[in-house]
Amino acid sequence: MPTVTAYATPAAKAPFERTTIERREVGPKDVRIKVAFCGICHSDIHTGRGEWGETNYPLVPGHEIAGVVEEVGSDVSKFKVGEHAGVGCMVSSCGHCEQCTNGEEQFCTDGGMVGTYGGELDGKPTDGGYSAEIVVDENYVLHIPDGISLDEAAPLLCAGITLYSPLNHFGAGPGKNVAIVGMGGLGHMGVKIAHAMGAEVTVLSQTTAKEEDGKKFGADHYYATKDGDTFKKLRGSFDLIVNTVSAQLPMQRYLSLLKPRGAMVNVGAPSEPMEVPAFALIGGGKTWAGSQIGGIKETQEMLDFCAEHNIGATIETIRPDKIDEAWDRVVDSDVRYRFVIDTSTFDD
Ligand code: NAP
Ligand code: ZN
């Protein structure tokens, strides 16, 4: 089996270590990708620090992968050597259940989707994109359009699709008032995408420190949630709120910001449960929903949409020796707006 350089966390809260991992031989339907950049998602941190339950270590995280196709299997029809390609949060699913057939592989009901890391495929644990190369079935690989550079494209593979999908399904567009709660990795993509869809966009951030950036990303309005007046002023304002916050929020206060029949979609995934009094939903007939990444077809649609609208992530590129520091900065909400690991520096 070929081995490649990777960065792994050996235990919860232990610093990253340089290591080597095995990648499978390229099978008939496989694409071997030389990883150029991998984004750091807050989900990597929840998993790596054991916040979502049991994690198997050593863990090589990373599900925002952008790179170049190095080799294709004999039966591969969708990719050619030299093309730009991406891999997101999943590398396999059953492929034949109702959800997979509908292009919603993330909801696979026959065994579930196989996560890019921390999953299990053919009896072996999967390793993510904090690595030099990855081998993936072509059905779970995305085309990265020429208009987006690989570093700015990497975060689209999770942060981009996680916001595009609920904005798309809940009808963000002209005439709709959309709020994005939290302007980190996911949130800043939400602002850019909702604006490109034609919605009127409001950011609800803890403070106004990032207001100038938010407006550049396309926000029409920007409010601090630490300012109690915000909740009075914006009561009943939004058709749609997408909550990207990685920590627990007082949901009742946020639900009060919806118009009647409005919807709040949760994509943030804190480990603690969130409480919602029934009357916060009943009054006004409100919807409280969740959303998980998006299927492969929709992810490709999102990449094409971003290319068409000139949207990439706003990133800070780091070398692998800065992963621990970057994780701490993400947890402190000190990320502008996605860290991306440059894997070309792995062998320096
Ligand atoms: P991130 O970059 O850390 O952004 C989260 C933002 O939430 C922060 O930048 C901050 O924004 C706000 N925030 C953090 N702590 C807060 C607190 N205590 N109170 C209020 N606001 C707070 O993280 P991310 O990578 O965007 O991920 C966000 C969450 O989505 C994570 O839980 C992640 O696991 C989850 N996720 C879910 C999916 C899915 O499919 N549903 C996919 C990917 C990630 P401000 O500074 O603007 O306040
Ligand atoms: Zn993610």
Side-chain angles (χ1 to χ4, degrees):
M1 288 252 192
T3 57
V4 303
T5 305
Y7 280 78
T9 175
K13 299 192 182 157
F16 271 83
E17 289 172 354
R18 187 173 190 274
T19 184
T20 51
I21 55 166
E22 287 183 344
R23 289 300 189 195
R24 66 173 184 258
E25 300 284 355
V26 173
K29 294 289 281 176
D30 284 340
V31 176
R32 181 164 64 85
I33 298 165
K34 186 170 166 47
V35 180
F37 297 96
C38 184
I40 293 178
C41 177
H42 206 123
S43 302
D44 301 349
I45 303 170
H46 288 308
T47 310
R49 295 190 170 170
E51 293 167 4
W52 281 346
E54 216 168 292
T55 297
N56 290 322
Y57 299 99
L59 178 80
V60 178
H63 57 210
E64 294 187 335
I65 300 167
V68 180
V69 176
E70 287 269 297
E71 186 182 349
V72 294
S74 52
D75 295 345
V76 166
S77 59
K78 299 177 187 162
F79 292 89
K80 291 193 177 67
V81 170
E83 283 180 342
H84 285 181
V87 179
C89 298
M90 56 189 154
V91 288
S92 188
S93 66
C94 85
H96 51 69
C97 72
E98 186 185 348
Q99 299 303 321
C100 286
T101 317
N102 285 341
E104 299 236 80
E105 301 89 344
Q106 76 278 27
F107 304 136
C108 173
T109 51
D110 189 359
M113 71 173 216
V114 178
T116 303
Y117 61 81
E120 197 184 300
L121 193 58
D122 301 328
K124 292 202 169 142
T126 54
D127 288 315
Y130 294 14
S131 62
E133 288 187 3
I134 189 165
V135 178
V136 180
D137 180 315
E138 68 167 339
N139 288 331
Y140 301 86
V141 180
L142 288 307
H143 290 280
I144 295 180
D146 285 342
I148 318 176
S149 60
L150 287 177
D151 52 355
E152 294 183 2
L156 302 181
L157 276 303
C158 173
I161 183 59
T162 300
L163 271 291
Y164 180 88
S165 183
L167 289 167
N168 191 23
H169 287 273
F170 286 84
K176 295 289 165 131
N177 266 320
V178 174
I180 306 288
V181 189
M183 201 173 76
L186 265 56
H188 95 288
M189 288 312 312
V191 176
K192 292 183 184 195
I193 293 171
H195 172 71
M197 288 175 169
E200 184 167 337
V201 184
T202 299
V203 175
L204 301 174
S205 182
Q206 292 168 91
T207 68
T208 52
K210 299 181 278 192
E211 179 167 1
E212 207 176 303
D213 289 341
K215 297 265 172 85
K216 272 191 220 145
F217 299 154
D220 301 285
H221 317 281
Y222 201 105
Y223 290 93
T225 52
K226 282 196 171 154
D227 177 352
D229 278 350
T230 292
F231 289 89
K232 287 187 203 136
K233 221 181 282 171
L234 298 179
R235 198 178 164 79
S237 297
F238 302 109
D239 299 285
L240 174 64
I241 301 176
V242 184
N243 172 24
T244 75
V245 173
S246 46
Q248 207 183 25
L249 287 184
M251 293 312 291
Q252 189 173 0
R253 298 191 82 196
Y254 287 83
L255 287 165
S256 75
L257 304 182
L258 287 173
K259 291 181 188 174
R261 300 281 178 213
M264 154 83 85
V265 184
N266 218 84
V267 294
S271 46
E272 312 81 18
M274 284 189 265
E275 265 185 30
V276 174
F279 282 101
L281 294 169
I282 291 171
K286 294 168 185 172
T287 298
W288 188 33
S291 189
Q292 183 185 13
I293 48 172
I296 296 295
K297 185 165 171 273
E298 195 178 27
T299 305
Q300 189 62 59
E301 184 185 302
M302 174 277 306
L303 286 164
D304 297 341
F305 176 90
C306 286
E308 192 185 315
H309 292 271
N310 242 331
I311 295 174
T314 298
I315 55 167
E316 188 175 327
T317 306
I318 60 161
R319 300 165 63 94
D321 57 339
K322 298 287 183 203
I323 296 172
D324 297 303
E325 191 182 313
W327 276 29
D328 287 339
R329 283 185 53 197
V330 171
V331 171
D332 291 342
S333 300
D334 178 22
V335 53
R336 300 287 188 279
Y337 284 85
R338 199 57 143 185
F339 288 106
V340 169
I341 306 164
D342 178 356
T343 58
S344 71
T345 61
F346 273 19
D347 294 317
D348 288 359

